């Protein structure tokens, strides 16, 4: 490694630059030895402006890399402007210092504030089932961002439709082997898919990328995890079979998650759609099982993974833990209940030293399953435990999943002081925080209700430990997602 640090005044540059703020510097790393510190900006690597952390990693693979940095002067901070593509860029004022250092086959030791330097790419579709279009007002801005960014798909497993890609994007995916990707298919029939998604012609940069079968086949070297959002009477029934028949025929398609449409009470000026009835949900499970059996015999994988919600709507038993094949789509609602149950209850005490009243608040859909799971806890003397099914006062009664409950919902469902401990689902919290969707914290909720409020565990065993000891839980079992990126300081692009 050679570290050549050079401070100088910048040369005016009209090329778009996407400054990447440094979050931290690894002690003893080349960047540390070169004098880089948090708050400095990465401008270029080997003279090239970079759009994201993937491009940064790729640029380092050449072996010898020169990193151009900028340090905003206290009296002249970096000014952020915009280029026509709505990327954010930098305008160097002439008073800022730029410097560079070089690495040779070594990681520089930089961690950035954002993984996307040029902003999140937005969706080009107006899907009949889009949840963002059904959001009530008053939430944090990030919840209204319709992201559809293939880079977040590769980094965090968020589903993308591919309809906003350019030819350059497709070539980059192939050349850099950005595998796997997570793709929302919904229907293999092109006319039906377009009717469901209604992409905007002016937002689609290349009409060829909207052809889903062509794209899946063009990305044959990329592993694809796919998703089908089902609408009753639209893409279920024979259309569902047609989609599964196509997806199972493609060797690069690894699996297909199947989820039902999610609705709120805030659908205004949107197409008339409805939720699945029990017989319709049963038909989805029946059709899926036919293909699951066939694929397991042919490829050793069940391939199709219906969401927990579909099994609950159908009144069908959940698959075994083995049948989820490692739970690759937990954040998509596939296998969360079975994953929750996989750690059994620990050894339980016969009695509590001090009596305790506990309310387990959850969504309408999961309440019955949770009631059965915690039944053994009722034998503990001094523990008064209640599973309370909470109606969603924010999104409406039609929204029955636990993860979309808000602080407002719990306020309506629980009276002040009626319990010693209230436990809310960990999936209601923003990643890495104690904030719910409406930005109410667990501490604030506890102060309002005059009781301790804790997040429940991601497993049954952890939930029991939280109940018995009031300990904090570890949060949801899945990691950082595109939602966390949207909550960051980055800008969005069209």
């Amino acid at each position: 490694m050679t570290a050549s640090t050079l401070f100088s005044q910048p040369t005016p540059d009209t090329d778009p630059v996407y400054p990447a703020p440094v979050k931290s510097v690894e002690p003893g790393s080349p960047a540390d030895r070169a004098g880089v510190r948090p708050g400095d900006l990465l401008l270029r690597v080997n003279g090239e402006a970079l759009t994201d952390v993937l491009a940064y990693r790729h640029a380092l693979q050449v072996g010898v890399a020169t990193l151009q940095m900028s340090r905003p002067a206290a009296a002249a901070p970096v000014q952020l402007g915009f280029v026509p593509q709505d990327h954010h860029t930098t305008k160097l004022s002439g008073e800022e210092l730029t410097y560079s250092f070089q690495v040779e086959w070594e990681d520089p030791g930089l961690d950035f504030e954002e993984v996307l330097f040029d902003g999140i790419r937005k969706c080009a579709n107006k899907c009949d089932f889009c949840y963002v279009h059904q959001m009530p007002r008053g939430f944090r801005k990030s919840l209204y961002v319709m992201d559809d960014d293939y880079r977040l798909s590769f980094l965090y497993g968020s589903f993308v439709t591919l309809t906003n890609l350019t030819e350059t994007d497709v070539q980059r995916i192939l050349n850099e082997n950005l595998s796997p990707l997570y793709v929302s298919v919904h229907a293999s029939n092109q006319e039906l898919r377009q009717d469901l998604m209604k992409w905007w012609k002016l937002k689609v940069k290349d009409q060829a990328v909207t052809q889903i079968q062509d794209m899946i086949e063009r990305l044959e070297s990329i592993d694809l995890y796919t998703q089908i959002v089902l609408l009753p009477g639209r893409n279920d029934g024979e259309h569902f079979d047609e989609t599964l028949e196509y997806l199972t025929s493609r060797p690069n398609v690894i699996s297909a998650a199947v989820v039902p449409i999610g609705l709120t009470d805030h659908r205004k000026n949107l197409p008339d759609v409805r939720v699945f009835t029990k017989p319709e949900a049963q038909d989805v499970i029946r059709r899926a099982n036919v293909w699951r059996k066939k694929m397991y015999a042919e490829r050793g994988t069940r391939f199709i993974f219906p969401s927990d919600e579909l099994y609950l709507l159908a009144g069908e038993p959940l698959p075994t833990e083995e049948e989820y094949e490692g739970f690759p789509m937990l954040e998509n609602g596939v296998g969360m209940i079975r994953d929750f149950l996989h750690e059994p209850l620990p050894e339980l005490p016969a009695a509590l030293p001090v009596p305790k009243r506990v309310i387990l608040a959850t969504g309408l859909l999961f309440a019955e399953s949770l009631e059965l799971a915690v039944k053994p806890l009722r034998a503990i003397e001094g523990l008064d435990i209640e599973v309370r099914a909470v109606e969603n006062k924010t999104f409406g009664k039609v929204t029955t999943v636990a993860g979309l409950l808000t602080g407002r919902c719990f306020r309506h469902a629980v009276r002040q002081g009626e319990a010693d401990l209230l436990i809310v689902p960990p999936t209601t919290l923003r990643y890495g925080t104690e904030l719910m969707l409406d930005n109410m914290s667990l501490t604030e909720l506890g102060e309002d209700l005059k009781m301790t409020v804790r997040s429940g565990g991601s497993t049954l065993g952890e939930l029991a430990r939280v109940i018995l000891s009031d300990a904090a839980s570890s949060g949801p079992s899945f990691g950082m997602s595109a939602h966390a990126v949207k909550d960051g300081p980055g800008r969005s692009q069209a």
Side-chain angles (χ1 to χ4, degrees):
M1 190 281 299
T2 59
S4 174
T5 306
L6 175 65
F7 285 85
S8 65
Q9 298 297 332
T11 302
D13 198 323
T14 57
D15 292 337
V17 177
Y18 315 110
V22 174
K23 181 179 181 181
S24 63
V25 181
E26 182 180 352
S29 66
D32 185 35
R33 296 195 296 272
V36 183
R37 64 192 188 196
D40 289 0
L41 302 172
L42 172 69
L43 301 181
R44 296 177 178 85
V45 176
N46 289 337
E48 297 292 331
L50 306 178
T51 56
D52 49 64
V53 72
L54 296 174
Y56 168 73
R57 296 171 185 169
H58 189 69
L60 296 176
Q61 293 177 3
V62 300
V64 178
T66 300
L67 286 75
Q68 183 185 0
M69 311 293 298
S70 171
R71 177 167 299 162
V78 165
Q79 302 170 28
L80 295 178
F82 295 92
V83 295
Q85 292 82 7
D86 197 28
H87 299 153
H88 61 288
T89 185
T90 184
K91 296 179 180 178
L92 299 177
S93 67
E95 299 181 21
E96 296 160 348
L97 295 174
T98 61
Y99 64 99
S100 63
F101 70 99
Q102 193 175 82
V103 295
E104 184 174 349
W105 297 110
E106 191 171 356
D107 189 292
L110 297 177
D111 185 25
F112 300 101
E113 292 284 353
E114 310 168 45
V115 295
L116 305 181
F117 307 158
D118 64 347
I120 297 176
R121 298 193 179 192
K122 293 183 180 179
C123 185
N125 314 307
K126 189 181 179 182
C127 298
D128 289 349
F129 48 89
C130 178
Y131 213 84
V132 175
H133 291 155
Q134 306 177 68
M135 286 285 295
R137 296 180 179 179
F139 288 88
R140 60 183 183 272
K141 291 182 179 179
S142 63
L143 295 176
Y144 302 94
V145 175
M146 295 173 58
D147 61 293
D148 198 15
D149 199 310
Y150 72 93
R151 299 168 298 178
L152 296 182
S153 182
F154 174 71
L155 287 168
Y156 302 123
S158 58
F159 282 93
V160 292
T161 67
L162 306 179
T163 60
N164 62 354
L165 297 185
T166 64
E167 176 61 22
T168 300
D169 296 328
V170 176
Q171 289 300 322
R172 182 186 179 190
I173 291 170
L174 295 171
N175 293 339
E176 297 183 19
N177 192 35
L178 299 184
S179 177
L181 292 180
Y182 295 73
V183 178
S184 290
V185 174
H186 309 317
S188 60
N189 179 285
Q190 184 63 21
E191 292 183 3
L192 176 58
R193 188 173 192 251
Q194 184 166 1
D195 180 61
L196 290 167
M197 296 171 57
K198 296 178 172 59
W199 46 80
W200 299 92
K201 290 184 178 180
L202 294 179
K203 291 185 178 181
V204 173
K205 301 177 178 65
D206 182 353
Q207 290 297 323
V209 302
T210 66
Q211 304 294 314
I212 188 60
Q213 293 192 28
D214 290 348
M215 286 301 297
I216 289 175
E217 291 160 28
R218 190 172 180 193
L219 297 174
E220 62 179 352
S221 63
I222 306 298
D223 288 343
L224 303 178
Y225 290 87
T226 62
Q227 172 185 246
I228 304 167
V229 175
L230 284 182
L231 284 67
R234 299 284 296 278
N235 60 336
D236 57 347
E238 293 181 359
H239 292 301
F240 181 45
D241 280 324
E242 179 186 18
T243 300
L244 293 181
E245 182 177 12
Y246 175 73
L247 293 178
T248 57
S249 73
R250 304 310 308 167
N252 61 322
V253 177
I254 306 303
S255 66
V258 185
V259 300
I261 183 175
L263 301 180
T264 78
D265 284 349
H266 300 273
R267 289 184 63 87
K268 295 182 179 179
N269 302 316
L270 296 173
D272 186 19
V273 296
R274 61 177 177 82
V275 297
F276 277 87
T277 64
K278 183 175 181 178
E280 288 170 334
Q282 290 173 334
D283 183 68
V284 172
I285 298 297
R286 180 186 62 79
R287 292 175 186 272
N289 283 341
V290 172
W291 287 98
R292 283 163 60 84
K293 183 177 180 180
K294 180 176 185 293
M295 291 303 293
Y296 190 69
E298 294 178 359
R299 286 171 54 172
T301 174
R302 293 161 184 87
F303 191 90
I304 297 105
F305 298 95
S307 69
D308 297 6
E309 188 175 357
L310 275 169
Y311 285 104
L312 294 176
L313 288 172
E316 299 283 350
L318 293 169
T320 64
E321 181 178 346
E322 178 189 5
E323 290 178 275
Y324 282 106
E325 300 178 12
F327 301 98
M329 296 187 185
L330 274 179
E331 195 171 357
N332 208 31
V334 177
M336 292 183 70
I337 297 177
R338 184 59 68 193
D339 184 57
F340 171 78
L341 296 172
H342 91 271
E343 182 191 0
L345 290 168
E347 184 177 351
L348 301 176
L352 295 183
V354 179
K356 181 188 295 185
R357 162 83 168 145
V358 179
I359 295 176
L360 303 180
T362 189
L364 301 177
L365 198 63
F366 183 51
E368 184 178 347
S369 298
L370 183 59
E371 183 74 55
L372 292 173
V374 301
K375 186 176 179 180
L377 291 169
R378 301 191 185 283
I380 301 175
E381 185 178 345
L383 178 60
D384 181 2
I385 187 169
E386 176 194 349
V387 174
R388 185 165 297 183
V390 177
E391 182 178 326
N392 200 309
K393 295 292 185 179
T394 302
F395 296 98
K397 191 174 182 178
V398 69
T399 302
T400 58
V401 295
L404 291 175
L405 293 171
T406 66
R408 178 190 175 207
C409 303
F410 299 122
R411 274 176 166 171
H412 278 81
V414 181
R415 300 189 306 275
Q416 282 189 349
E418 71 166 310
D420 303 299
L421 175 64
L422 171 66
I423 295 182
V424 303
T427 50
T428 62
L429 302 180
R430 193 194 314 182
Y431 175 81
T433 75
E434 287 197 342
L435 294 176
M436 289 171 275
L437 281 171
D438 54 1
N439 276 343
M440 182 182 294
S441 70
L442 298 185
T443 300
E444 290 171 327
L445 182 60
E447 291 172 351
D448 286 349
L449 296 178
K450 302 187 184 308
M451 65 183 70
T452 301
V453 180
R454 292 279 187 267
S455 162
S458 60
T459 67
L460 179 59
E462 187 178 8
L463 174 61
R465 290 188 286 273
V466 174
I467 292 171
L468 297 174
S469 65
D470 288 0
S473 77
S474 61
S477 58
F478 42 81
M480 184 175 179
S481 68
H483 301 292
V485 177
K486 291 193 290 182
D487 280 328
R491 302 177 188 272
S492 297
Q493 59 160 290

